[in-house]
Amino acid sequence: MSLRINHNVAALNSHRNLLNNDRSLNRTLERLSSGLKVNRGADGPATLVISEQMRAQIAGLTQAIDNSESAISMAQTSEANLGEINRLLTSMRQLAVHAANEGVNDTGMLQADQRELENALASIDRITAQAQFGERKLLDGSNGIQGYTTGDKLQFIESGLNSKDSSEAGYSVVVTQSAERASRTGSQALSADLIAQGEELMLIQGGQSARYVTQSDDSLDQVVAKLQSEVDRNGMQLEIRVSEAGMLSVTHKEYGSAPDFQVFSKTAGVLSAEAGAIETVQNGRDVKGTLNGQSAVGEGLYLTGMEGAKEVDGLKVKIQGQLDQEIPDGGVEVGRVFLSQNALKFQVGGNYGQTVSMNLKDVSTRQLGKGIQNESGFRSLADLDVQSFQGAQDAMQLIDQAITEVSSVRGELGAFQKNTLESNLNNLRVANENLVASESVLRDTDMASEMAQFTRGQIMSESAMAMLAQANQVPENVLTLLS
């Protein structure tokens, strides 16, 4: 055994172990007090990076959950206002049906119906203007796609979420084929002899039929008027005319290839080509053309941008009737459409680009019931006048269309709330729960394990302290040699 006093190696070793034990004990105390096993980068660099990214995701998901809940509240507020508009429209339809009861109503009753109708229209416009969520207006069209057109023959109907803002020049609307109505013109004149012999004529359309057998004292104009009366009485969409040569002509009121009707005449050529045969007439044509140079789907008078079409996906316009000019091979431009895309956008995810959009249409009376062909010339719900029989009849058509439009908006809003927002909210909550659990595994302290480490650290620290005291006493043995 050798004894040295310049360097006490045993004390140095004990001191080093004491420092290590104190450092370990302090780290354990920090983990127990914070509840985290990674408090700084040195505790686990890779774990820190991953867990901080998870924390950012968790914070984003938490906010996205709040965003979705706010969006659901907005959708519910909008739907409540639309429900009241639906109720008013139903009341208006009842008024139109009452006003159409021409045989009973007097002028005072019709005026009362009109005043009540106008009051309902004003209520719809008031709801449209006042419905809001916070400071944001909901149903005035500021949260949808606004569009207007140039050209007498062109009318903007609607557009979808995928339609884009137009430039200052707008989107060109070119017609390559004008829409036509199904029609049949007889090849045999309805002469006085045929009328006197009791010519039988019959028209069938929409499940209804109109039949008339001519009387010997009928004139040609009377035959046309009586047959037209039967057509109107049965609610059929047909117009009957007679040419100067005495040929009967029947035309469907609606444009396009879908509307059809059937004709019958006892004599060949008066209406049906064969005597006593029922023949179907379906020779109408849909409008054809392009929107902003891209192919569009034609249906009747309507042109709609094809799904996936750049910029004009879902854009729908109406060509008002047939064109007055010859259409060249390349088509003719009938006007331009200008769009402003203001659809509501919701951030429903915790990351970039995780958004959804919702289009809240303008449901004011000037925007509802547009594009319906009617003899009264009503362009929208705002023009309704039920003080005449025809006005009341046409009002029913426009109100029915308005009910369909508002119900469609409610359906879209409900589907958006249920299938997009609420479904996404459920998914966000599950994802948030799983991320929190994952981040906890990486970052949180295992308290039982750390308490075991803390107990061990205390014992080791006290032991090292005792051994350091013993090591410091070893050099004193030299004094025994010197004494």
Side-chain angles (χ1 to χ4, degrees):
M1 174 180 176
S2 62
L3 296 174
R4 301 181 181 89
I5 61 172
N6 284 333
H7 296 90
N8 191 343
V9 176
L12 290 175
N13 181 268
S14 298
H15 182 260
R16 177 175 60 80
N17 285 312
L18 176 61
L19 292 178
N20 289 338
N21 289 331
D22 283 343
R23 188 180 301 112
S24 176
L25 183 61
N26 289 335
R27 187 178 299 115
T28 300
L29 285 170
E30 182 180 37
R31 290 173 178 173
L32 288 170
S33 61
S34 67
L36 300 174
K37 66 181 177 183
V38 179
N39 291 282
R40 58 182 62 83
D43 294 337
T47 302
L48 179 74
V49 171
I50 296 171
S51 64
E52 286 297 338
Q53 290 175 342
M54 284 187 173
R55 282 187 173 185
Q57 287 292 305
I58 291 168
L61 287 176
T62 301
Q63 185 58 55
I65 289 172
D66 293 339
N67 290 356
S68 296
E69 290 174 341
S70 297
I72 290 172
S73 298
M74 174 181 279
Q76 290 172 335
T77 303
S78 302
E79 208 275 336
N81 286 279
L82 289 169
E84 180 59 21
I85 292 176
N86 254 146
R87 189 194 67 79
L88 288 168
L89 289 171
T90 300
S91 177
M92 289 167 54
R93 192 181 192 284
Q94 187 174 3
L95 288 172
V97 172
H98 177 267
N101 193 24
E102 188 180 43
V104 174
N105 295 332
D106 56 28
T107 302
M109 295 170 69
L110 291 174
Q111 290 176 347
D113 285 341
Q114 180 64 24
R115 285 194 295 270
E116 188 174 350
L117 181 72
E118 290 173 354
N119 184 267
L121 291 171
S123 295
I124 291 175
D125 284 336
R126 184 174 62 255
I127 292 172
T128 301
Q130 296 178 357
Q132 60 187 67
F133 187 81
E135 295 297 321
R136 179 180 288 279
K137 299 288 186 180
L138 296 177
L139 304 175
D140 63 351
S142 60
N143 300 310
I145 299 177
Q146 297 176 326
Y148 64 94
T149 61
T150 60
D152 296 336
K153 290 285 187 179
L154 190 60
Q155 181 183 7
F156 171 77
I157 301 300
E158 63 181 7
S159 193
L161 290 172
N162 295 326
S163 301
K164 307 299 182 184
D165 279 323
S166 63
S167 62
E168 295 182 358
Y171 297 144
S172 64
V173 180
V174 174
V175 173
T176 57
Q177 174 181 288
S178 183
E180 294 182 1
R181 298 180 290 178
S183 64
R184 168 61 65 89
T185 300
S187 58
Q188 169 71 38
L190 184 58
S191 63
D193 291 340
L194 290 176
I195 293 174
Q197 293 172 12
E199 179 65 27
E200 181 181 1
L201 304 171
M202 184 168 60
L203 300 173
I204 304 171
Q205 185 264 321
Q208 300 292 326
S209 63
R211 176 179 175 274
Y212 183 69
V213 179
T214 61
Q215 306 296 316
S216 58
D217 57 346
D218 284 341
S219 66
L220 183 56
D221 290 338
Q222 287 176 325
V223 171
V224 172
K226 290 177 181 179
L227 185 57
Q228 184 69 61
S229 178
E230 283 294 304
V231 166
D232 295 340
R233 187 175 65 84
N234 287 283
M236 301 164 64
Q237 301 296 307
L238 302 175
E239 295 177 347
I240 306 168
R241 291 186 175 85
V242 61
S243 67
E244 294 181 358
M247 308 288 190
L248 291 181
S249 176
V250 182
T251 305
H252 203 291
K253 291 182 180 180
E254 297 180 5
Y255 286 82
S257 59
D260 61 2
F261 60 93
Q262 294 173 302
V263 297
F264 169 90
S265 60
K266 188 171 71 173
T267 303
V270 174
L271 281 179
S272 58
E274 296 182 15
I278 296 177
E279 299 174 359
T280 299
V281 179
Q282 193 174 12
N283 54 7
R285 296 197 307 179
D286 297 313
V287 66
K288 292 183 179 180
T290 61
L291 296 173
N292 198 38
Q294 300 179 68
S295 297
V297 178
E299 183 178 359
L301 296 171
Y302 299 93
L303 274 178
T304 305
M306 299 178 65
E307 183 177 353
K310 184 180 179 182
E311 299 172 336
V312 294
D313 184 352
L315 172 60
K316 186 176 184 179
V317 297
K318 180 182 180 182
I319 314 301
Q320 305 276 21
Q322 290 179 286
L323 301 185
D324 300 328
Q325 62 190 94
E326 289 291 329
I327 299 178
D329 292 339
V332 58
E333 183 175 304
V334 295
R336 305 187 79 82
V337 184
F338 298 85
L339 293 182
S340 176
Q341 174 64 273
N342 299 309
L344 293 169
K345 294 181 176 62
F346 302 97
Q347 178 73 33
V348 293
N351 299 317
Y352 170 81
Q354 294 179 345
T355 62
V356 294
S357 300
M358 178 64 195
N359 183 15
L360 282 178
K361 299 179 181 178
D362 186 350
V363 292
S364 64
T365 56
R366 294 205 171 275
Q367 297 300 321
L368 293 176
K370 293 172 62 177
I372 301 298
Q373 293 291 123
N374 62 91
E375 296 184 14
S376 302
F378 300 149
R379 293 178 60 85
S380 68
L381 217 60
D383 298 334
L384 297 186
D385 188 335
V386 297
Q387 297 181 81
S388 66
F389 174 77
Q390 189 60 49
Q393 292 289 321
D394 292 336
M396 290 183 213
Q397 293 189 72
L398 269 70
I399 294 172
D400 284 343
Q401 175 66 18
I403 291 173
T404 300
E405 292 172 359
V406 174
S407 299
S408 177
V409 174
R410 292 182 67 185
E412 291 175 5
L413 195 57
F416 180 73
Q417 177 183 332
K418 178 181 178 182
N419 300 325
T420 301
L421 296 178
E422 292 181 355
S423 176
N424 180 71
L425 183 57
N426 293 334
N427 182 62
L428 287 176
R429 285 173 174 155
V430 172
N432 187 61
E433 178 183 339
N434 291 332
L435 268 178
V436 169
S438 299
E439 200 264 344
S440 176
V441 170
L442 292 173
R443 202 80 178 254
D444 288 354
T445 296
D446 183 344
M447 300 298 286
S449 175
E450 288 299 327
M451 282 302 300
Q453 289 293 327
F454 175 69
T455 302
R456 176 185 176 278
Q458 278 186 315
I459 295 172
M460 293 298 295
S461 182
E462 290 175 3
S463 176
M465 184 69 73
M467 293 306 101
L468 178 60
Q470 293 296 324
N472 286 333
Q473 292 177 1
V474 170
E476 293 182 1
N477 292 330
V478 176
L479 295 175
T480 303
L481 295 174
L482 297 175
S483 59

